[in-house]
Amino acid sequence: MYNYYLTIVLAPLAAAIVAGLFGKQIGRAGSHWITILAVGLSCALSLLVLKNMFWGGAESENISVYTWAVTDGLKMEVGFLVDRLTALMMAVVTFVSLMVHIYTIGYMHDDPGYQRFFSYIALFTFSMLMLVMSNNFLQLFFGWEAVGLVSYLLIGFWFKRESAIFANLKAFLVNRVGDFGFILGVSAVVMFAGTLDYAEVFASADSIAAQEIEVIAGTPWNAMTVTCVLLFIGAMGKSAQAPLHVWLPDSMAGPTPISALIHAATMVTAGIFMVARMSPLFELSATALAVVITIGAITAFSMGLLGIVQNDIKRVIAYSTLSQLGYMTVALGASAYSAAIFHLMTHAFFKALLFLAAGSVIIALHHEQDIRKMGGLRKYMPVTYWTALIGSLALIGFPGTSGFFSKDLLIEAVKESHWHGQGAVYWIAYLSVLLGVFVTALYTFRMFFLVFHGETRMDAETKSHVRESPWVVTVPLVLLAIPSAIIGWFTVRDILFNNYFGDSIVVSSAHDVLAHMGETFHGSLALFQHSVQTPVFWLAAGGALSAWFLYLKRPDIPATIKDRVSGLYTLLDRKYYMDDLYIKGFAAAGRSIGNLLWQKGDQLVIDGVLVNGTANSIGKLAGVMRQIQTGYLYTYAFAMFIGLTMLLSWLIWFR
């Protein structure tokens, strides 16, 4: 299997290098074929690894590939930890990436940066694989930063657009805030455990939890709490949790295929995966878990509300991603790590499907993205319509879809965590994710109805050219729609209740809500039949029916509501003024301080006084000295006589 792992990781990297450096030589077709075949190979081998883990009973492998350096006993190496958690993530990342690669042929068909784009997305796949397959914190950090770098390149892919440049800079800077916390967390791990290797760190977890550190002099903090909170700050940046969420909606400035890849299977899932991987550490800090679930609950509900007022089709889905990441984070905070990863998996399929379906609509409408200028596309784009419907139903958790199994049981796990006496914050989190179900259904079907149903609001020219997208676009939609619809039926029992993850995820017995839920789980069919009795089902149905009534039956009502609650609408439309806070507050303050230091410090003190001032003083002194140099011999003789007289007088006086 060792060679399998190297091939899985290196195939996308090799393809990225070839497409990036030799794109002109191999042409557009060569670039997409070499990257698709490479990612396809990684996907096939990843599925084989998952098969061996899931059905073949294969054991986990912890492999050291290359030792880079050893400093004071601290080993820095490249290595692979391939267990059941890794195998699942590898399969999800490579499958979604493969679908995006195929889809890109149609979406980017006329783009002059065609080869460059394929190089970037293959490199993105390599970076994410390095992250999820790492067996040490150094390699984890490499993958962590690599996905951030490639996302910067892809969000700003259309670098001639100011909006794209602003968006990728915003993503880069916000993630630097999170990554600063993350590298401090890694440093804390090294300080307390003395190693970067996962296995050794996890083995010393109890020792770390027994230590203290004074972050503020005189105030001791538990070392494990500090370490886990710092690591989670990194996850807040990568997985776009409030208040470090502001970069993700603007990432829509990049091409739609990369929106699907970032939101579904790569960068934003990195933080969720990392916390699940670090479960042996987080389980030893109740405070850290409380921080995680609080941030997740705030994100899940507040970001969902923003989706209701968005009119850009991609931004609606982007805020949906923020909300669903909040759901996963809540599950992590409730110690339901398996539920979080299960929802990550199902979400990857239906969210990639929704983004690619949105891209199909955008292609058909000549890059129009305003849902208010769409409508009635059902009869023009049947494949896109039905696949988008499946994705929308999965997103709201319609019974039987993949989202139903993952989201319903996630919410139930959060409820169970409260019943087991883990604090009021868990009850608040439960209410947040429960109410979020109604919000999710409302914004999802608002978008769906405005795009595919009702009267056509396109202009005549656009309407005359609307047709279904080519097969390279629709085939990935169909292939993503299949797992979005049915995968939950076959995986829910094993992943959540049959200890699929084994030692990959560690949960203390006091926090193991999924074990308790497993006692009453009677199979997928029984859960499906029971679903109509739960508040989750009725809230989802209420949200979808409300969207139908407001945007198809009585489209005049939303405008009336907007006028009557204009203050609330403005608050949501301005995204809680978070962008204003960052751009007009922190960024503007930073520029003002920079200007002040430039004008007063650099120009006035350094240039004016130290550099130019010194030069001017020397110039003035030289001007005086020039007056003394007359060129006459008697002047110099007189000066020597005066000098000698003064010297003798001084010697006689102080003898």
Side-chain angles (χ1 to χ4, degrees):
M1 296 299 288
Y2 175 78
N3 291 330
Y4 282 6
Y5 304 147
L6 283 176
T7 303
I8 290 170
V9 170
L10 295 180
L13 175 62
I17 292 172
V18 173
L21 298 181
F22 307 104
K24 290 184 179 180
Q25 287 78 7
I26 63 176
R28 296 164 73 89
S31 295
H32 71 235
W33 275 116
I34 192 170
T35 52
I36 288 173
L37 289 174
V39 175
L41 176 61
S42 293
C43 181
L45 294 178
S46 296
L47 291 173
L48 178 61
V49 172
L50 180 62
K51 170 187 171 294
N52 292 336
M53 290 282 182
F54 201 92
W55 290 285
E59 296 295 326
S60 302
E61 295 188 67
N62 192 346
I63 302 169
S64 177
V65 176
Y66 172 72
T67 299
W68 177 46
V70 178
T71 304
D72 293 332
L74 183 66
K75 185 182 292 186
M76 303 178 186
E77 63 180 8
V78 177
F80 299 140
L81 172 59
V82 182
D83 54 18
R84 294 187 170 192
L85 174 59
T86 305
L88 183 63
M89 290 296 299
M90 288 162 58
V92 170
V93 169
T94 54
F95 178 74
V96 173
S97 179
L98 178 60
M99 295 301 101
V100 169
H101 275 70
I102 296 171
Y103 177 94
T104 298
I105 297 175
Y107 192 90
M108 302 292 287
H109 183 266
D110 298 320
D111 196 284
Y114 191 83
Q115 294 97 315
R116 178 165 56 94
F117 190 82
F118 273 99
S119 175
Y120 285 173
I121 57 177
L123 186 61
F124 208 171
T125 306
F126 158 75
S127 301
M128 191 65 185
L129 286 171
M130 284 292 285
L131 189 156
V132 301
M133 295 175 67
S134 62
N135 71 346
N136 63 85
F137 282 91
L138 179 66
Q139 186 175 327
L140 173 68
F141 186 73
F142 166 79
W144 196 266
E145 293 303 311
V147 293
L149 170 63
V150 184
S151 69
Y152 171 83
L153 297 173
L154 284 164
I155 293 170
F157 181 79
W158 287 319
F159 55 85
K160 293 183 180 180
R161 301 181 183 179
E162 288 190 14
S163 59
I165 298 302
F166 177 80
N168 73 350
L169 182 61
K170 187 176 183 182
F172 186 82
L173 292 176
V174 172
N175 272 278
R176 295 290 68 72
V177 176
D179 291 355
F180 180 68
F182 185 68
I183 197 170
L184 287 178
V186 173
S187 301
V189 167
V190 174
M191 181 172 68
F192 293 119
T195 179
L196 289 164
D197 185 80
Y198 287 165
E200 295 177 9
V201 172
F202 296 159
S204 61
D206 290 331
S207 172
I208 298 174
Q211 299 180 57
E212 291 185 338
I213 181 175
E214 292 189 2
V215 180
I216 301 172
T219 306
W221 287 52
N222 180 265
M224 185 62 78
T225 296
V226 172
T227 302
C228 290
V229 169
L230 289 172
L231 291 173
F232 179 64
I233 291 173
M236 288 171 62
K238 278 289 181 289
S239 293
Q241 297 297 287
L244 300 181
H245 66 280
V246 294
W247 68 270
L248 192 58
D250 285 357
S251 69
M252 299 302 98
T256 298
I258 195 53
S259 299
L261 198 55
I262 289 177
H263 285 245
T266 54
M267 185 167 170
V268 298
T269 61
I272 306 299
F273 164 79
M274 185 273 291
V275 175
R277 172 63 79 198
M278 300 302 143
S279 59
L281 306 182
F282 279 83
E283 280 300 287
L284 297 178
S285 175
T287 302
L289 289 175
V291 170
V292 171
I293 199 169
T294 301
I295 296 296
I298 293 170
T299 305
F301 186 69
S302 63
M303 296 301 109
L305 290 176
L306 295 183
I308 298 173
V309 301
Q310 299 300 312
N311 295 312
D312 184 310
I313 186 171
K314 288 171 65 175
R315 280 184 174 269
V316 175
I317 306 173
Y319 279 106
S320 167
T321 299
L322 286 169
S323 181
Q324 296 307 305
L325 288 168
Y327 274 83
M328 299 174 209
T329 304
V330 166
L332 294 172
S335 295
Y337 305 99
S338 299
I341 297 298
F342 186 40
H343 194 51
L344 182 157
M345 178 190 73
T346 62
H347 176 265
F349 296 129
F350 62 72
K351 186 52 60 68
L353 171 59
L354 285 173
F355 265 115
L356 298 187
S360 178
V361 170
I362 293 169
I363 293 171
L365 300 185
H366 302 287
H367 295 278
E368 177 58 66
Q369 296 183 197
D370 192 332
I371 59 178
R372 295 169 297 183
K373 298 178 182 179
M374 300 179 186
L377 291 178
R378 175 184 178 182
K379 59 184 177 182
Y380 300 101
M381 309 179 70
V383 177
T384 302
Y385 170 80
W386 287 107
T387 53
L389 177 60
I390 291 172
S392 298
L393 291 173
L395 176 56
I396 72 169
F398 185 81
T401 62
S402 62
F404 157 72
F405 290 103
S406 60
K407 184 186 283 187
D408 276 35
L409 290 171
L410 184 156
I411 294 171
E412 187 68 18
V414 177
K415 183 178 76 171
E416 287 289 332
S417 69
H418 167 68
W419 297 146
H420 282 73
Q422 293 189 21
V425 67
Y426 289 79
W427 173 242
I428 297 171
Y430 171 64
L431 288 179
S432 297
V433 294
L434 189 61
L435 293 175
V437 171
F438 176 86
V439 175
T440 300
L442 179 59
Y443 68 67
T444 300
F445 275 90
R446 170 182 176 264
M447 175 187 68
F448 184 80
F449 290 141
L450 287 177
V451 172
F452 293 104
H453 288 269
E455 297 180 1
T456 299
R457 297 178 297 278
M458 301 172 284
D459 58 63
E461 182 180 356
T462 301
K463 185 177 179 181
S464 66
H465 292 91
V466 174
R467 60 180 59 87
E468 185 59 89
S469 298
W471 70 268
V472 290
V473 172
T474 56
V475 167
L477 295 182
V478 173
L479 293 178
L480 285 166
I482 294 171
S484 297
I486 65 174
I487 198 170
W489 289 93
F490 308 106
T491 56
V492 60
R493 178 187 291 275
D494 288 317
I495 291 180
L496 293 189
F497 305 119
N498 280 358
N499 194 31
Y500 160 75
F501 290 110
D503 295 335
S504 305
I505 290 175
V506 175
V507 185
S508 68
S509 57
H511 298 169
D512 199 352
V513 294
L514 292 176
H516 175 73
M517 291 168 57
E519 297 171 2
T520 57
F521 180 76
H522 301 296
S524 302
L525 182 59
L527 181 63
F528 174 79
Q529 294 170 339
H530 176 70
S531 64
V532 295
Q533 304 174 35
T534 65
V536 175
F537 170 78
W538 292 106
L539 284 168
L545 288 173
S546 297
W548 169 80
F549 181 76
L550 292 172
Y551 297 99
L552 289 183
K553 191 71 174 176
R554 292 289 306 277
D556 57 301
I557 294 180
T560 303
I561 295 174
K562 176 182 173 181
D563 291 337
R564 292 187 177 180
V565 291
S566 58
L568 177 59
Y569 177 84
T570 301
L571 179 66
L572 297 178
D573 187 53
R574 298 297 296 271
K575 296 166 281 190
Y576 307 117
Y577 295 95
M578 292 298 292
D579 279 345
D580 292 322
L581 174 63
Y582 288 135
I583 296 171
K584 298 179 181 178
F586 297 142
R591 288 194 300 271
S592 297
I593 293 172
N595 286 331
L596 180 64
L597 293 174
W598 164 55
Q599 293 174 353
K600 304 300 182 183
D602 194 13
Q603 288 190 327
L604 181 62
V605 177
I606 297 175
D607 287 345
V609 176
L610 298 180
V611 179
N612 295 331
T614 303
N616 292 335
S617 299
I618 294 173
K620 291 178 180 179
L621 178 62
V624 173
M625 296 299 294
R626 278 198 300 271
Q627 301 301 319
I628 300 174
Q629 305 298 320
T630 64
Y632 295 112
L633 182 61
Y634 61 82
T635 303
Y636 301 142
F638 180 73
M640 292 172 64
F641 176 75
I642 296 297
L644 181 61
T645 301
M646 293 176 64
L647 178 61
L648 290 173
S649 300
W650 182 81
L651 290 173
I652 294 170
W653 184 267
F654 292 101
R655 184 179 54 177

